[in-house]
Amino acid sequence: MLAFDDQVSSLDELSTERMNFRTKPRIKQAIQRAAALAGVDDSVFTMNAAYASALNTIEAHERTVLAPVDHKAFFAAMDAPPAPKDKLRKAFARHRETVSSR
């Protein structure tokens, strides 16, 4: 049996928020079976799984990973950026004319 890592209970704050959702019987049975095998109740198991998935999703959206060839191209462009084209110059001019900064 694998050890269950309860990351939710170790958070130092009160559980004051409530979440309700409906699910299919097959999903509920699988969660209940997995929770029993892990030695925790359904809520603890479900909350830990949802929390871990949420953290992974947030991390995936906040981090950009580049392949070595893309990494090299990105930093080469940062070190020697190309000169602005006319279209960019016009966009900056429109911005100056239409946006007022305080």
Side-chain angles (χ1 to χ4, degrees):
M1 179 162 98
L2 297 173
F4 185 77
D5 181 23
D6 187 355
Q7 294 185 336
V8 174
S9 294
S10 64
L11 295 176
D12 188 27
E13 57 186 307
L14 294 175
S15 296
T16 59
E17 302 302 311
R18 187 168 188 81
M19 297 180 72
N20 297 308
F21 56 90
R22 295 204 173 275
T23 189
K24 295 174 170 64
R26 183 183 307 189
I27 294 171
K28 182 179 179 182
Q29 291 166 0
I31 291 169
Q32 288 175 325
R33 183 175 179 198
L37 291 168
V40 295
D41 70 27
D42 305 358
S43 295
V44 170
F45 185 86
T46 304
M47 191 56 54
N48 274 276
Y51 184 58
S53 181
L55 293 177
N56 288 337
T57 301
I58 292 167
E59 181 182 0
H61 282 82
E62 290 182 345
R63 178 178 295 172
T64 302
V65 179
L66 299 175
V69 66
D70 297 326
H71 182 273
K72 185 176 179 181
F74 176 81
F75 281 101
M78 293 295 286
D79 289 339
K85 307 246 189 241
D86 285 339
K87 197 170 184 178
L88 181 60
R89 284 192 187 99
K90 289 177 184 176
F92 271 106
R94 274 194 320 274
H95 179 269
R96 277 191 299 276
E97 292 169 6
T98 58
V99 176
S100 63
S101 298
R102 292 180 186 198

